[in-house]
């Protein structure tokens, strides 16, 4: 089944403890992206990647890192999480040049 | 810079009533507009895109370049339409800019 998966789905952590949220797609998509969803603010793009080893900042990249070593994976790294990073995170992917993005199920992160 | 605005955070209608979710955008070129929907506890999914001019689940949306709007409409709302709706824009072919979202509740 073609899909985007994220792990973990739920995570509660403490300030400053490094964490990684994984994202994987099995559709051979070139483009992958991370968003955070906050009430009243909608979805805001954190980082995106046009292909392997090509990443770029979105609208709210501060406090996040990404890597794209393989086409199928696009992990989101929080080196030192802070409470303002408590949010619902979505990964998405699409074929290059396609505007139809496929979203993962979301990861709800709480930073205490 | 591209921007999408959804002026209504919450919208409540009764079953069978018409519904219109507003979306306005700002972009100097020719963007492509979309509506995404997120049902409770589910992932976002594409509802429709302006370029295909299709009707999905009874919803339609017309791009009005003069008013820079892309409002989503349905003549007779159903309870299963209750969801969060996001208007989105792309100018680059991949990168999407989303609006703030409108939570639609259809009451029985």
């Amino acid at each position: 089944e073609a899909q985007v998966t994220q792990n973990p789905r739920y995570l509660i952590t403490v300030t400053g403890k490094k964490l990684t949220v994984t994202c994987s797609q099995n559709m051979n998509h070139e483009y992958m992206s991370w968003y955070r969803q906050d009430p009243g603010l909608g979805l805001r793009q954190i980082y995106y990647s046009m292909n392997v080893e090509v990443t770029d900042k979105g609208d709210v990249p501060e406090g996040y890192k990404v890597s794209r070593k393989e086409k199928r994976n696009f992990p989101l790294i929080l080196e030192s999480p802070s409470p303002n990073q408590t949010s619902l995170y979505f990964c998405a992917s699409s074929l290059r040049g396609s505007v139809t993005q496929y979203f993962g199920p979301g990861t709800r992160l709480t930073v205490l | 810079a591209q921007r999408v605005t959804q002026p209504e955070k919450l919208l409540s209608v009764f079953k069978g009533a018409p519904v219109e979710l507003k979306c306005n955008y700002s972009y100097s070129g020719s963007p492509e507009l979309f509506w995404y929907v997120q049902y409770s506890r589910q992932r976002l999914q594409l509802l429709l895109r302006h370029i295909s001019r299709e009707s999905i689940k009874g919803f339609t949306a017309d791009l009005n370049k003069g008013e820079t709007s892309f409002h989503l409409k349905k003549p007779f709302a159903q309870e299963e339409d209750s969801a969060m709706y996001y208007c989105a824009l792309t100018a680059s072919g991949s990168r999407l800019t989303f609006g703030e979202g409108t939570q639609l509740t259809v009451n029985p």
Side-chain angles (χ1 to χ4, degrees), chain A residues 35-45 59, chain B residues 2-9 22-25 33-36 44 84-90 96-102:
Chain A
Y35 298 88
R36 58 178 290 173
Q37 183 183 33
D38 301 291
L41 297 176
L43 277 85
R44 294 177 293 168
Q45 190 176 51
D59 299 315
Chain B
Q2 56 201 55
R3 182 178 172 84
V4 178
T5 304
Q6 294 177 247
E8 302 142 328
K9 287 187 168 44
K22 291 185 168 51
C23 172
N24 292 94
Y25 68 92
L33 277 295
F34 308 83
W35 278 97
Y36 277 80
L44 270 83
M84 178 71 84
Y85 291 80
Y86 288 99
C87 184
L89 171 157
T90 184
L96 283 170
T97 298
F98 285 87
E100 306 90 339
T102 298

Side-chain angles (χ1 to χ4, degrees), chain B residues 61-76:
Chain B
D62 290 318
L63 180 62
N64 186 324
K65 292 187 177 180
E67 295 182 359
T68 60
S69 68
F70 188 56
H71 303 327
L72 183 68
K73 301 176 185 177
K74 185 169 183 176
F76 307 103

Side-chain angles (χ1 to χ4, degrees), chain A residues 4 31 35 37 40 42-43 45 58-59 90 98-101 103-105, chain B residues 9 32 34 36 38 43-44 46 49 86 90 93-96 98-100:
Chain A
V4 180
Y31 181 87
Y35 298 88
Q37 183 183 33
L43 277 85
Q45 190 176 51
D59 299 315
F90 286 99
S98 171
V99 294
T100 303
Q101 292 196 16
F103 283 81
Chain B
K9 287 187 168 44
E32 194 164 348
F34 308 83
Y36 277 80
Q38 185 180 28
R43 66 188 71 193
L44 270 83
L46 180 65
R49 49 192 294 195
Y86 288 99
T90 184
S94 289
R95 190 173 172 194
L96 283 170
F98 285 87
E100 306 90 339

